[in-house]
């Protein structure tokens, strides 16, 4: 493996605050490219052209991600004078469309909560934990990684907010509803652990994989196809339903922790008719007649 990859990843972490998952994905893509094209620092355009043939059966979004990693790597090589040219121009430019997020209806979300609340009535710790997890996924729109890594100190005391550390180590405040506060309080009463994490495990904290399994299992018990439900789908539902309710896109961007509002704009597909009606009803000139 080229030592330049390590240097590139160190730069991403130090200068751009790239998250651990992002760094791992870049490493996989770059090391996989080296297996085909050889040492990336010395690779020629012809070497990189081999990658297109190897990637021919991959999804366009996957190819686009790999190409992005290589282009950024070669930009780094130019800046560090590791080479004088950029061979990544030999790579294709696949046209990709951001996929629309999976959506749960209001009725399906209510079914999930009915099931979780019914099970929580038993007072059993796993059921109370599940309800708290569900409230924070749908009620605050947390990413799975953000949720499982929450420290106990993040739980609000006097203010209805959580302090969340998101991608790139960026912190933001997210609101916690009265329902979520109540669910958290019930969970903390039965949480038998001295761990610094809100949702501890034997070694550290609840893993993303375990959270994924818990959410799908709850969906099955609630009569919803588990294939349609995941922690990220609940985050999408949070954003979609807020936008339907009239939330401002900039506010939604802040709540979701998106660095670029273009990422948030994908949710505008959910209710375009409502947005048109909003302009027609609320625009300052909506009530005026056209001038002849």
């Amino acid at each position: 493996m080229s030592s330049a990859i390590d240097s590139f990843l160190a730069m991403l972490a130090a200068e751009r605050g790239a998250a651990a998952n992002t760094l791992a994905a870049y490493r996989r893509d770059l090391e996989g490219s080296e297996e085909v094209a050889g040492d990336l620092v010395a690779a020629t355009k012809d070497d990189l052209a081999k990658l297109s043939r190897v990637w021919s059966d991959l999804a366009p979004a996957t190819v686009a991600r790999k190409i992005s990693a290589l282009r950024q790597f070669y930009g780094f090589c130019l800046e560090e004078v590791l080479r004088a040219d950029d061979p990544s121009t030999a790579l294709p430019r696949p046209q990709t469309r951001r996929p629309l997020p999976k959506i749960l209806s209001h009725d399906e979300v209510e079914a999930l909560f009915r099931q979780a609340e019914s099970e929580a009535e038993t007072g059993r710790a796993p059921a109370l934990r599940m309800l708290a997890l569900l409230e924070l996924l749908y009620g605050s729109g947390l990413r799975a990684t953000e949720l499982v890594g929450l420290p106990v100190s993040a739980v609000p005391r006097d203010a209805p907010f959580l302090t969340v550390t998101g991608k790139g180590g960026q912190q933001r405040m997210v609101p916690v509803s009265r329902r979520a506060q109540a669910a958290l309080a019930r969970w903390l009463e039965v949480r038998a652990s001295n761990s610094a994490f809100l949702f501890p495990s034997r070694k550290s904290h609840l893993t993303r994989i375990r959270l994924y399994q818990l959410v799908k299992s709850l969906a099955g018990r609630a009569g919803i196809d588990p294939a349609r439900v995941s922690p990220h789908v609940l985050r999408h539902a949070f954003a979609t339903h807020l936008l339907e309710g009239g939330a401002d896109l900039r506010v939604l961007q802040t709540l979701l922790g998106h660095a670029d509002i273009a990422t948030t704009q994908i949710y505008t597909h959910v209710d375009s008719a409502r947005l048109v009606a909003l302009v027609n009803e609320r625009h300052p000139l909506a009530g005026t007649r056209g001038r002849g």
Side-chain angles (χ1 to χ4, degrees):
M1 184 192 73
S2 170
S3 61
I5 292 178
D6 283 333
S7 299
F8 169 64
L9 296 176
M11 180 277 292
L12 289 181
E15 297 183 12
R16 303 184 190 177
N21 291 339
T22 300
L23 295 174
Y26 274 108
R27 182 178 292 279
R28 285 194 300 271
D29 288 338
L30 293 174
E31 291 180 354
S33 297
E34 280 204 330
E35 292 176 1
V36 176
D39 182 2
L40 292 179
V41 174
T44 65
K45 289 186 177 181
D46 288 340
D47 292 327
L48 293 190
K50 300 174 186 176
L51 294 170
S52 296
R53 295 190 290 273
V54 174
W55 295 342
S56 60
D57 293 331
L58 299 179
T62 301
V63 174
R65 190 197 68 229
K66 292 178 180 294
I67 290 173
S68 175
L70 283 166
R71 292 193 191 283
Q72 292 184 65
F73 172 75
Y74 281 114
F76 168 79
C77 288
L78 289 173
E79 291 177 0
E80 297 296 315
V81 200
L82 297 177
R83 60 182 298 155
D85 65 324
D86 181 359
S88 68
T89 55
L91 296 169
R93 294 181 177 273
Q95 298 297 317
T96 62
R97 292 183 60 191
R98 185 186 291 270
L100 296 179
K102 295 180 181 179
I103 301 173
L104 292 177
S105 69
H106 291 273
D107 288 343
E108 288 170 324
V109 171
E110 288 176 4
L112 283 174
F113 273 98
R114 279 197 303 271
Q115 184 66 33
E117 289 166 351
S118 174
E119 294 175 2
E121 289 304 313
T122 64
R124 296 177 60 247
L128 292 171
R129 182 185 65 178
M130 186 69 251
L131 181 58
L133 290 167
L134 184 62
E135 286 284 1
L136 292 177
L137 282 170
Y138 178 73
S140 297
L142 299 187
R143 298 180 178 95
T145 302
E146 296 169 345
L147 176 57
V148 297
L150 279 175
V152 177
S153 59
V155 177
R157 297 181 182 276
D158 301 321
F161 292 95
L162 282 176
T163 301
V164 176
T165 302
K167 289 186 175 181
Q170 297 297 313
Q171 288 194 332
R172 70 184 191 279
M173 302 288 286
V174 298
V176 180
S177 69
R178 286 187 293 272
R179 289 169 46 112
Q181 289 181 37
L184 282 171
R186 294 174 67 189
W187 161 238
L188 288 172
E189 287 178 358
V190 299
R191 175 183 168 276
S193 173
N194 294 322
S195 170
F197 294 105
L198 180 58
F199 300 105
S201 67
R202 291 179 182 176
K203 295 183 179 180
S204 176
H205 58 67
L206 189 72
T207 66
R208 290 186 304 158
I209 293 175
R210 183 57 182 147
L211 175 62
Y212 183 89
Q213 294 169 339
L214 290 171
V215 169
K216 286 191 170 296
S217 178
L218 176 67
R221 298 194 301 275
I224 302 171
D225 181 2
R228 298 185 56 244
V229 186
S230 71
H232 207 60
V233 169
L234 286 166
R235 174 173 157 88
H236 286 321
F238 162 81
T240 300
H241 296 166
L242 271 183
L243 194 63
E244 286 178 346
D248 178 82
L249 203 60
R250 286 288 183 185
V251 171
L252 193 58
Q253 177 190 7
T254 300
L255 293 176
L256 293 172
H258 288 161
D260 188 345
I261 198 170
T263 307
T264 317
Q265 285 173 331
I266 191 172
Y267 293 103
T268 59
H269 80 283
V270 297
D271 198 359
S272 57
R274 186 195 64 80
L275 295 177
V276 171
L278 185 65
V279 171
N280 289 335
E281 294 171 7
R282 303 294 179 83
H283 192 280
L285 300 180
T288 64
R289 295 181 179 179
R291 296 181 175 84

